[in-house]
Amino acid sequence: MNSFVYDIPVKVYFGPGQLCHLGEELSKYGKRVLLTYGGGSIKRMGLYDEVIAEIKKAGLEVFELSGIEPNPRIDSVRRGAQICKDEHIDVLLAVGGGSTLDATKWMAAGACVEHDAWDFFSKWAPVEKALPIVTILTLSATGSEMDSGGVISNPETQDKIGRIARPLLPKASFLDPTNTFTVSPYQTACGAADMISHILEVYFNMDKDLYMLDCFMEGLLKTIIKYAPIAMQQPDNYEARANLMWASSWAINGFINGGRCQAWSCHPMEHELSAIYDITHGLGLAILTPRWMEYCLDQNNVSRYVQFAINVFGVNADMDLMSVAREGINRLSQFLFGTLGLKSTFTEVGIKAEDFPVMARKSCGGGVLEGFKPLRQDDIEKIFQMCL
């Protein structure tokens, strides 16, 4: 196995009643706070009033930016960065799901530079510093509360690009599962699919690594498979919501990577889908993932599929290896499209074959997507065809 460094200095307050610490965390970084959120659900659920009360109790001045979109837009990032500059913001507080958190991270970075925020993605401008960020999570999915990544869309160029940079790590994150009680069954399902994809992008790797990390990933997958349906049927089931929330964070905070250094596959492909069609990220991943697994399966990597099928879904090990592997893929498909009820084809969500060439080319950068199995443009187009 490869050597590695693991260092995630994010302070997590987990569980109900932890917002009493919000003021002290924000106060570490200054007096002027930019509060960011999405479409207003935090007001309907009462979380907004609670947050404002804690900010005021700490004697801090608050400024607001609302309306951050799903698949957050670069224009929102630009607006936030400008507010930070104009109002001399000291710390940003993101309240919401992954979209709000991702956009806020890049506002924090954009506030520290003179160039346009899109240069971070179009020109790969360096991210040398960012204003401090604190998060309050309301949707279990992306893991942005405990990682240094963020994905931003630019509708003008039809690009959706993700990037990681250490200055974007939140200083503290508040994870209260009761704040996810109002998440719809559909968004709960999409969040579960997103978490599963985060794990499988790492799990499907032929590098020899720590056995305990394989066990950990399989445990995370089994946790999501067990509790996502419960949360969909019983939205206020605390045990289910808590397990999903903590699994979301640990699926992508770097711990499961160990010494593996493999590029991801499904996420670059999905980013092109939602860049053009603006579909829910988790839904796109759900449609893609089983087809990608099927396309990549061969005699050289079948052992990985067999381990997945047996340890995650309890597939009968007495069959031949290929049959066990394919049954594992089938069980995953049944969970995503049957149990979770997500749409299973591009046709159902309006994605057209005429866009496959450009989406495939952009997915691999016109060269090779060096993931579990190297994929060129024609390979990706074939995977897209399997999704119709």
Side-chain angles (χ1 to χ4, degrees):
M1 60 169 284
N2 299 319
S3 300
F4 61 89
V5 175
Y6 179 70
D7 181 22
I8 300 293
V10 180
K11 187 175 184 178
V12 173
Y13 290 89
F14 195 97
Q18 297 279 27
L19 277 188
C20 63
H21 300 286
L22 179 61
E24 68 186 75
E25 288 298 333
L26 293 172
S27 297
K28 292 177 181 178
Y29 308 105
K31 292 289 187 180
R32 299 169 74 83
V33 180
L34 176 60
L35 170 64
T36 63
Y37 54 98
S41 63
I42 67 166
K43 292 185 175 181
R44 293 190 295 274
M45 64 192 288
L47 180 58
Y48 173 87
D49 291 338
E50 190 177 355
V51 168
I52 291 294
E54 293 296 330
I55 293 174
K56 296 295 186 181
K57 188 189 303 182
L60 307 178
E61 188 173 4
V62 62
F63 302 81
E64 297 187 25
L65 175 60
S66 61
I68 297 173
E69 318 86 348
N71 293 319
R73 312 292 198 268
I74 189 61
D75 281 346
S76 291
V77 174
R78 289 168 175 149
R79 288 197 300 272
Q82 193 60 51
I83 293 173
C84 290
K85 293 176 180 178
D86 293 344
E87 304 297 343
H88 306 289
I89 296 299
D90 298 310
V91 56
L92 293 87
L93 174 60
V95 184
S99 295
T100 296
L101 273 58
D102 282 10
T104 304
K105 289 177 179 180
W106 290 106
M107 294 174 199
C112 297
V113 295
E114 295 303 318
H115 61 71
D116 180 62
W118 188 244
D119 288 355
F120 288 127
F121 305 95
S122 62
K123 299 178 181 179
W124 222 246
V127 184
E128 296 175 344
K129 60 180 179 177
L131 294 178
I133 307 152
V134 175
T135 79
I136 301 173
L137 189 64
T138 62
L139 174 65
S140 304
T142 69
S144 296
E145 67 278 0
M146 207 176 176
D147 74 14
S148 61
V151 183
I152 302 298
S153 296
N154 187 335
E156 292 181 4
T157 62
Q158 291 191 322
D159 285 316
K160 181 179 178 181
I161 301 174
R163 187 175 174 187
I164 60 174
R166 189 170 178 80
L168 305 183
L169 273 172
K171 301 298 184 182
S173 289
F174 290 80
L175 276 58
D176 180 353
T178 65
N179 288 334
T180 64
F181 283 0
T182 59
V183 175
S184 70
Y186 170 71
Q187 288 295 344
T188 300
C190 289
D194 195 2
M195 294 181 232
I196 288 171
S197 180
H198 291 160
I199 300 163
L200 295 185
E201 295 269 29
V202 179
Y203 185 87
F204 279 96
N205 188 316
M206 298 308 291
D207 287 351
K208 298 297 182 183
D209 207 88
L210 293 169
Y211 171 77
M212 65 83 63
L213 288 178
D214 281 354
C215 294
F216 188 82
M217 285 187 277
E218 290 159 6
L220 285 175
L221 290 166
K222 291 166 74 172
T223 297
I224 298 162
I225 291 164
K226 176 178 179 177
Y227 284 109
I230 296 173
M232 292 171 66
Q233 296 163 12
Q234 304 171 31
D236 59 353
N237 186 305
Y238 183 84
E239 180 182 357
R241 293 296 191 182
N243 274 277
L244 291 175
M245 179 169 273
W246 203 218
S248 168
S249 299
W250 284 89
I252 196 174
N253 68 6
F255 176 76
I256 65 174
N257 293 13
R260 297 177 175 96
C261 302
Q262 174 180 282
W264 288 14
S265 299
C266 289
H267 276 69
M269 289 189 282
E270 196 291 321
H271 287 169
E272 301 310 323
L273 306 181
S274 46
I276 295 178
Y277 291 94
D278 199 28
I279 65 171
T280 304
H281 177 57
L283 175 59
L285 290 170
I287 297 172
L288 278 168
T289 299
R291 280 63 182 238
W292 163 73
M293 290 171 64
E294 182 179 348
Y295 187 83
C296 293
L297 174 61
D298 61 31
Q299 292 292 343
N300 295 320
N301 59 33
V302 66
S303 61
R304 201 67 182 151
Y305 289 80
V306 169
Q307 181 177 329
F308 167 77
I310 294 172
N311 292 352
V312 176
F313 285 107
V315 172
N316 185 351
D318 292 338
M319 298 184 289
D320 66 88
L321 295 183
M322 277 295 175
S323 295
V324 173
R326 292 194 175 97
E327 181 58 20
I329 299 172
N330 183 51
R331 297 277 185 95
L332 177 62
S333 297
Q334 289 174 359
F335 176 74
L336 294 170
F337 310 130
T339 305
L340 298 186
L342 292 171
K343 293 178 179 177
S344 62
T345 66
F346 284 175
T347 303
E348 292 174 272
V349 297
I351 295 175
K352 300 176 181 178
E354 64 194 50
D355 292 315
F356 288 179
V358 65
M359 292 192 301
R361 177 180 55 78
K362 292 174 74 174
S363 295
C364 62
V368 181
L369 185 57
E370 297 284 1
F372 179 50
K373 177 175 282 190
L375 301 173
R376 298 184 180 275
Q377 178 175 337
D378 63 329
D379 296 306
I380 298 171
E381 288 189 50
K382 289 174 183 175
I383 294 172
F384 287 165
Q385 288 288 341
M386 294 167 68
C387 297
L388 281 174

